[in-house]
Amino acid sequence: MRKAVIPVLLVLSFYSNAQERKTADTTKTTDIQEVVVTSLGIKKQARSLTYSSQQIGGDELTAVKTPNLLNSINGKVSNVQVNRTNGVGSSVRVIMRGNKSVSNTQPLYVIDGIPIVNGTGKSADIGQYSNMPDPGDVLSSINPDDIESMNFLKGASASALYGSAGGNGAILITTKKGRAGKSTITYSTSLTADRAYSLPKLQHSYLSYDPSVSGQQPGESVQSWGAKGASKDYLKDFLQTGTTWVNSLSFQSGNEKSTNYFSVGNTTNKGVVPMSYFDQYNVSFRNSSKFMDDKLTLDANFIGSLQESKNRQTPGASFSPLTSLYWLPRGVDFDQYGPDNYSYIDKTRYLPAQNWWEITPEGSFKGNPATQNPYWILNRNPVTVSNKNAYGALALSYQINPWLSARVRGNYSWNISDSQRDIAAFSANSLLAGGKNGRILKNVYENSSTYGDVLLIGSPKLSEDISLDFTVGGSINTSRNKITQIDNAYLAAPNLFTLNNLQWSTNRSPGDGYHYIYTNMKRQVQSVFASASVGYKNMFYVDMTFRNDWDSSLALTGRTGFDYESVGANAILSSIFKLPETINFWKIRGSYATVGLGLPANISNSMVEYNKGYSYGVDAGTIVYPKSSFITDPNFNELFPKPELNKTFEAGTELRMLKNKLSFDITYYNSNTSNQLLETKIASNLGGIPTGSYYINAGKIQNIGFESSLSYKIFNTEKFGWTTALNGSVNKNKIVELFPSRLSISEEQLFSLTGGGEYTKLKLGGSFGDLYGIKFKRDDQGRILVNEKGIPLAEDTPSYLGNPNPKFILGFNNTFNIGKLGISFLIDGKFGGQVLSLTEKANDLYGVSKASADARDAGGVSIPNAVYAPGTPNAGQAYTGLTDPKDYYQKVGTTEGYGKGIDEAYMYSATTVRLRQASISYTFDIKSKYMRNATVSLVGTNLFFFYKKAPFDPEQVSGNTPGGVGVDAFGLPVNRSIGLSLKANF
């Protein structure tokens, strides 16, 4: 414990709502009387909160714009980890206070007090043969200019009123309203130039052949282990300067009875990869009106967006134009395969055929895996993603008397994600899956939810000393998910990529190139809840909440509902005791909460025996039975499905000093999430449980950590202001329990996480997301064993390599104002953790990495702490020689995926420190008849790394899945963006 406290106290965090209140679009807590938005949209005084809450204003999201607003919070909120996927418009993975669940790790998103479903399509996986990109999510489509504030409820106590949906915390989004008075128009635009950097380090000094040997030609070998010679760097010429143009126009007006806010927005991106683009159009409207002598308030809101993208990059090598250039045999002239010469007309079929060095005269491909012409991939294997999102909400509030009000609210959210990849004839045979006329891959995910609640909110005055705030209510939340997945390599007419051109009469069972799955799922949660907050003389506060959910995902399990509670208390020490004048405010707080989490929709059908017809699915007309079921034997009723349960304790203190110039906040938390839904195999009859694969509710994941905040207003005048701020957090994750002791399952058994490509696993005593792979074979003293040629030996089975999650997260923010000139920069760091690069592993194998050239220049690879293996002539003797580079890298490198090569050689530190964003702005006071003011800014994001050892950005993940973290599977390089922005108020 002591070791964990010291680094937190050394690097404290800035609680962003302690900054100075700026212009009208900023919502930050500036003093202890500030009102903040909490669960269910209920407003409370900041001093009364018994849990940690952090709020940032909309201006912090738009000072330096990013296409997905959640990317803007990186480094600004303590203990919130944001991982990006591939490209503009893609979804992001948000984790608050560590990974808690193998089923769902994302927080709940709430717009104006009402929960929404942050729907996504099919997430990409880690793997060589991934074929579809991350399709994006609903939050990526919201216009940041429409956001008034975001409040982060990171603990179970803060989000308990939201029930099972808030088990991983909640992010409350408050949108802008119109204001009474003069109508205003605001226009903002931002144009940035984007360049890829931190690319893999490649070599161009060794060829794939030896020109001095008669008959050897470029491209004869797929690898570049040939003679010394110069080759051109085609990668830098291939990647282009991308552009991102974000525009937003808003109008607001109103009077004392009614206000309106309307906005339209557009984001246009040309990617750094040729022929990739992203377009988005947003619209939003909000009306707030009062009736019946202001007793009745109506609040209506609509948000909609359309997204279209093409050639968004996909993890894996199969459809990556970049890997084709990484692995291009040195000496091959790529210019002859360029954008105007990537295909030709095949005279036998009169179809476009691929022009590429790797294709033999017979039409086969030399490599395994095969590479394709990058321009063929972009033109003949294109992937398109079309997303549509709509959200509408209506809330009625009636003030019954001065201390009691009633609310009726509801919303409807709908989104559809349609992704399609077309694979033309004459593509690589492995990608055509046996088809001759082409292949279609199509995923359509349609999500909708309907939410309604009724609330009774009261604040009766009990006495001058005692205050009471209470809420009672009930809600119904219904969500529907329709999923269509099509994979067909049997086109009737070649290269006609329409659904009515697909043939399904082929006598074939489902497999690659032959899938048609339709799933329709529905889930409903009915709830009642209550909360009460009692205060005494504004010095002591006690909070209590209760909620009961009846969840349809528990149907057939023997139980339908579960309840959970929270209790919290705080004391305002500065009101209780006479403290030194330097201390303006001091509060201590503590809380405890239990929160449930239901099962995935429809999975409880596995409680019913197969032959009763409830559990099977259909794939291309073939009945497909689930591979796992629940245990139904009454003798093992403790293994029956049940909701996850998160028990969290937190305690903290908040301190403000020196006339509120110095603000400090620190929180300790201990979270235990049990009843994880695990899938395991029972190999032999166990106490009456038949051999088979089962879902079991067991396992416990523990997160213990600190999060802290520190802000100091060094100068605070109109002529010069400087606020410096830090936010930091420490989290320790541990798998306390996996399978029940009653089952004789080995403690060494591993559980693979979804989306991890077998690399990320859970093990008893380990941590969430541990990486597993092949390690060097060592002797009892830990020395690497080599054969007689000095080639290292590999272990036979995968073992633990490291964990990718940071041990400590830091954000360092500085803002300056010199009159009307503003300067700001944000540095954030993630410290600790290890990550794995499959890209480097493959590049080394092919001899195209800089490391492989350096080794050749040095005469070989030096292997530290190595000895000859038993059975060799010099067994047991130290190996101090140099290993032939080709022999070494063909041993440790591979493209074959999990369990091949030596992964340990490709583990890197995940520690990074970067200049996340910076801006220089100047505000012009126009004060004309039509324009009030305008602000011009020079902005930049992801400008450079102060420290990075990994050959890729460890923050990037393959997909928005529990297991998609920590492995570089040929992902897109980091983009640096620099540009100008303008904001004008009329």
Side-chain angles (χ1 to χ4, degrees):
M1 184 67 69
R2 191 178 207 176
K3 293 181 180 179
V5 174
I6 292 174
V8 179
L9 295 180
L10 288 175
V11 190
L12 302 169
S13 75
F14 165 52
Y15 196 13
S16 65
N17 59 13
Q19 279 192 343
E20 178 185 5
R21 180 180 289 271
K22 295 182 181 178
T23 53
D25 63 350
T26 303
T27 303
K28 300 176 184 175
T29 304
T30 60
D31 56 57
I32 57 176
Q33 304 301 329
E34 184 72 36
V35 173
V36 295
V37 179
T38 63
S39 295
L40 300 175
I42 301 168
K43 295 181 178 180
K44 291 184 177 182
Q45 281 191 349
R47 67 181 293 144
S48 69
L49 299 182
T50 60
Y51 47 78
S52 174
S53 168
Q54 192 163 346
Q55 183 168 289
I56 63 175
D59 61 325
E60 291 207 42
L61 302 173
T62 57
V64 180
K65 289 186 178 179
T66 58
N68 189 321
L69 67 92
L70 290 177
N71 280 320
S72 298
I73 67 175
N74 241 322
K76 297 176 182 176
V77 184
S78 65
N79 218 352
V80 176
Q81 184 177 347
V82 181
N83 295 100
R84 64 182 179 87
T85 53
N86 276 306
V88 173
S90 298
S91 63
V92 296
R93 183 176 184 268
V94 179
I95 300 295
M96 301 198 292
R97 292 187 177 177
N99 295 278
K100 304 179 185 69
S101 172
V102 301
S103 302
N104 175 30
T105 59
Q106 293 279 356
L108 172 69
Y109 295 93
V110 181
I111 297 180
D112 297 324
I114 307 177
I116 68 164
V117 175
N118 186 32
T120 61
K122 180 176 175 60
S123 294
D125 291 343
I126 295 170
Q128 176 77 42
Y129 301 103
S130 293
N131 50 41
M132 298 296 267
D134 177 275
D137 55 16
V138 172
L139 266 296
S140 68
S141 69
I142 293 180
N143 184 356
D145 284 308
D146 294 338
I147 306 302
E148 182 76 22
S149 67
M150 295 178 68
N151 196 11
F152 295 81
L153 307 182
K154 291 171 277 189
S157 297
S159 60
L161 270 184
Y162 283 116
S164 59
N168 294 312
I171 298 178
L172 313 184
I173 300 171
T174 302
T175 62
K176 290 181 179 178
K177 289 183 177 181
R179 292 181 174 86
K182 185 179 179 180
S183 299
T184 61
I185 297 175
T186 300
Y187 171 69
S188 67
T189 183
S190 173
L191 178 63
T192 60
D194 311 322
R195 287 293 296 176
Y197 75 109
S198 192
L199 297 163
K201 294 181 179 179
L202 304 175
Q203 67 90 5
H204 302 282
S205 57
Y206 286 90
L207 303 175
S208 60
Y209 69 108
D210 189 345
S212 65
V213 178
S214 177
Q216 288 197 10
Q217 298 293 328
E220 190 174 288
S221 171
V222 299
Q223 299 182 357
S224 296
W225 291 104
K228 188 87 171 176
S231 60
K232 187 178 176 181
D233 183 358
Y234 295 104
L235 178 63
K236 291 183 178 179
D237 293 337
F238 177 78
L239 292 171
Q240 63 187 16
T241 298
T243 56
T244 303
W245 192 17
V246 182
N247 292 280
S248 179
L249 178 67
S250 65
F251 170 80
Q252 54 182 313
S253 66
N255 52 41
E256 297 301 324
K257 293 294 183 180
S258 181
T259 61
N260 294 282
Y261 176 87
F262 173 77
S263 78
V264 292
N266 166 248
T267 299
T268 301
N269 170 263
K270 182 184 76 171
V272 296
V273 173
M275 303 187 63
S276 63
Y277 70 83
F278 170 83
D279 281 328
Q280 175 175 287
Y281 297 90
N282 308 81
V283 62
S284 72
F285 173 75
R286 187 173 183 182
N287 170 268
S288 297
S289 300
K290 297 179 180 179
F291 307 93
M292 301 174 63
D293 296 328
D294 295 346
K295 290 185 177 181
L296 179 66
T297 302
L298 168 70
D299 196 353
N301 195 3
F302 174 80
I303 300 173
S305 68
L306 299 173
Q307 292 181 344
E308 297 287 340
S309 70
K310 184 176 182 179
N311 287 330
R312 183 178 295 173
Q313 292 305 289
T314 302
S318 296
F319 295 99
S320 169
L322 301 185
T323 56
S324 297
L325 292 170
Y326 295 164
W327 302 343
L328 182 73
R330 302 307 186 246
V332 171
D333 182 9
F334 178 66
D335 290 333
Q336 64 179 311
Y337 305 106
D340 300 322
N341 198 29
Y342 66 87
S343 68
Y344 63 95
I345 298 299
D346 177 73
K347 294 181 179 180
T348 60
R349 301 191 65 189
Y350 296 100
L351 293 174
Q354 184 173 179
N355 182 28
W356 190 230
W357 68 268
E358 192 177 321
I359 303 175
T360 66
E362 297 78 27
S364 62
F365 285 72
K366 300 176 183 177
N368 183 24
T371 67
Q372 299 191 108
N373 189 312
Y375 293 103
W376 178 271
I377 294 173
L378 298 172
N379 286 278
R380 300 297 181 182
N381 298 163
V383 60
T384 56
V385 180
S386 176
N387 293 339
K388 301 179 179 67
N389 304 291
Y391 167 84
L394 186 68
L396 284 171
S397 178
Y398 184 75
Q399 195 69 38
I400 300 173
N401 60 40
W403 59 267
L404 184 64
S405 64
R407 293 183 191 175
V408 178
R409 308 180 304 180
N411 73 5
Y412 176 76
S413 58
W414 172 85
N415 64 83
I416 185 169
S417 177
D418 186 344
S419 305
Q420 180 169 319
R421 184 180 291 279
D422 304 332
I423 306 176
F426 291 98
S427 295
N429 300 329
S430 59
L431 305 181
L432 286 169
K436 299 299 182 183
N437 291 338
R439 178 183 176 191
I440 286 181
L441 295 164
K442 189 176 184 68
N443 294 327
V444 180
Y445 279 66
E446 183 178 1
N447 307 295
S448 65
S449 70
T450 305
Y451 175 90
D453 64 24
V454 178
L455 306 175
L456 196 63
I457 303 171
S459 301
K461 184 177 181 180
L462 301 183
S463 71
E464 293 296 331
D465 294 335
I466 300 176
S467 64
L468 171 65
D469 298 284
F470 69 85
T471 302
V472 294
S475 66
I476 297 179
N477 191 355
T478 304
S479 59
R480 296 175 175 84
N481 308 95
K482 298 178 182 178
I483 303 171
T484 302
Q485 294 178 293
I486 295 174
D487 180 356
N488 192 302
Y490 299 95
L491 279 63
N495 292 349
L496 179 60
F497 300 103
T498 60
L499 297 184
N500 59 3
N501 189 45
L502 301 180
Q503 300 179 82
W504 295 104
S505 57
T506 304
N507 183 20
R508 178 178 174 180
S509 60
D512 286 346
Y514 199 74
H515 285 289
Y516 188 178
I517 305 171
Y518 175 76
T519 305
N520 192 343
M521 297 181 291
K522 177 182 177 181
R523 179 179 181 179
Q524 186 174 93
V525 180
Q526 302 174 4
S527 310
V528 293
F529 46 80
S531 71
S533 177
V534 180
Y536 177 71
K537 289 186 175 182
N538 286 331
M539 296 188 299
F540 300 98
Y541 294 90
V542 176
D543 280 348
M544 295 167 287
T545 69
F546 170 84
R547 178 164 176 139
N548 196 96
D549 284 352
W550 292 272
D551 193 332
S552 66
S553 71
L554 296 174
L556 308 175
T557 67
R559 61 183 299 169
T560 57
F562 47 95
D563 63 86
Y564 30 84
E565 300 78 29
S566 73
V567 60
N570 74 33
I572 314 299
L573 300 182
S574 53
S575 298
I576 300 172
F577 305 106
K578 183 175 178 58
L579 301 176
E581 292 185 1
T582 55
I583 299 177
N584 306 109
F585 178 74
W586 188 10
K587 177 175 78 172
I588 58 173
R589 61 178 185 264
S591 62
Y592 177 80
T594 61
V595 178
L597 181 65
L599 299 172
N602 288 27
I603 198 171
S604 62
N605 288 343
S606 296
M607 291 290 293
V608 180
E609 297 175 14
Y610 296 153
N611 58 13
K612 293 186 178 178
Y614 287 97
S615 301
Y616 59 76
V618 177
D619 185 351
T622 301
I623 294 177
V624 179
Y625 293 97
K627 62 179 181 179
S628 300
S629 62
F630 284 105
I631 293 173
T632 57
D633 187 340
N635 293 319
F636 293 87
N637 57 7
E638 74 273 21
L639 302 179
F640 285 8
K642 57 181 72 72
E644 286 187 16
L645 188 62
N646 179 3
K647 298 180 179 180
T648 299
F649 167 77
E650 72 171 68
T653 185
E654 181 180 350
L655 186 66
R656 303 192 184 194
M657 302 173 65
L658 305 175
K659 298 181 180 179
N660 288 323
K661 288 184 177 182
L662 178 66
S663 300
F664 168 70
D665 192 299
I666 187 168
T667 301
Y668 162 82
Y669 60 89
N670 186 328
S671 167
N672 288 274
T673 307
S674 55
N675 299 335
Q676 302 283 329
L677 184 63
L678 306 176
E679 190 174 8
T680 188
K681 292 181 179 179
I682 295 179
S684 59
N685 191 288
L686 180 64
I689 301 177
T691 300
S693 182
Y694 294 94
Y695 295 114
I696 295 175
N697 271 107
K700 180 184 294 184
I701 297 176
Q702 182 184 74
N703 286 278
I704 298 176
F706 288 89
E707 59 197 27
S708 55
S709 60
L710 179 68
S711 171
Y712 185 53
K713 298 176 184 177
I714 300 174
F715 298 100
N716 189 27
T717 66
E718 290 186 6
K719 291 185 178 181
F720 182 67
W722 177 15
T723 298
T724 187
L726 291 165
N727 75 69
S729 58
V730 170
N731 185 79
K732 183 178 181 181
N733 179 283
K734 184 177 180 180
I735 312 302
V736 178
E737 177 189 316
L738 268 181
F739 301 103
S741 57
R742 184 174 180 185
L743 298 179
S744 57
I745 298 175
S746 170
E747 293 185 357
E748 299 299 314
Q749 180 161 336
L750 304 174
F751 171 80
S752 296
L753 289 172
T754 302
E758 299 297 323
Y759 289 97
T760 55
K761 300 178 183 292
L762 297 183
K763 181 189 174 192
L764 184 65
S767 297
F768 195 100
D770 282 344
L771 297 175
Y772 280 76
I774 300 297
K775 300 178 75 171
F776 289 106
K777 197 167 190 177
R778 301 174 186 269
D779 63 9
D780 294 340
Q781 299 179 42
R783 297 175 296 183
I784 296 174
L785 297 176
V786 301
N787 65 14
E788 63 277 4
K789 292 183 177 181
I791 302 172
L793 305 183
E795 293 285 355
D796 297 326
T797 58
S799 57
Y800 174 75
L801 296 172
N803 186 280
N805 295 302
K807 294 180 173 61
F808 180 69
I809 302 175
L810 166 71
F812 177 47
N813 197 10
N814 280 269
T815 57
F816 304 85
N817 66 277
I818 306 170
K820 297 174 183 178
L821 178 68
I823 302 173
S824 69
F825 65 87
L826 171 65
I827 297 172
D828 78 274
K830 295 179 172 65
F831 302 88
Q834 298 84 39
V835 289
L836 170 66
S837 176
L838 302 184
T839 307
E840 291 296 310
K841 195 176 179 183
N843 290 350
D844 279 351
L845 172 74
Y846 281 105
V848 297
S849 65
K850 185 176 182 299
S852 68
D854 291 344
R856 280 173 272 191
D857 291 340
V861 179
S862 174
I863 305 175
N865 195 28
V867 297
Y868 286 100
T872 62
N874 300 312
Q877 294 183 23
Y879 175 69
T880 58
L882 296 176
T883 303
D884 179 76
K886 184 177 180 179
D887 290 341
Y888 177 84
Y889 286 116
Q890 290 195 334
K891 177 66 177 182
V892 299
T894 189
T895 59
E896 295 184 41
Y898 184 68
K900 302 294 183 179
I902 301 180
D903 299 292
E904 185 182 359
Y906 299 98
M907 293 296 293
Y908 304 91
S909 168
T911 297
T912 58
V913 181
R914 77 183 79 201
L915 181 58
R916 172 75 61 180
Q917 65 180 46
S919 68
I920 302 174
S921 63
Y922 190 85
T923 300
F924 299 88
D925 288 329
I926 310 296
K927 295 182 179 178
S928 69
K929 182 178 180 180
Y930 300 104
M931 182 182 290
R932 291 182 292 137
N933 56 59
T935 301
V936 179
S937 305
L938 174 65
V939 298
T941 58
N942 274 329
L943 293 170
F944 58 84
F945 289 92
F946 294 99
Y947 182 91
K948 181 173 75 72
K949 292 296 185 183
F952 64 100
D953 184 1
E955 192 172 278
Q956 179 171 303
V957 296
S958 295
N960 198 345
T961 58
V965 179
V967 181
D968 168 34
F970 312 98
L972 194 66
V974 189
N975 279 1
R976 175 189 291 118
S977 301
I978 300 175
L980 294 171
S981 69
L982 167 70
K983 183 175 182 179
N985 295 304
F986 300 90

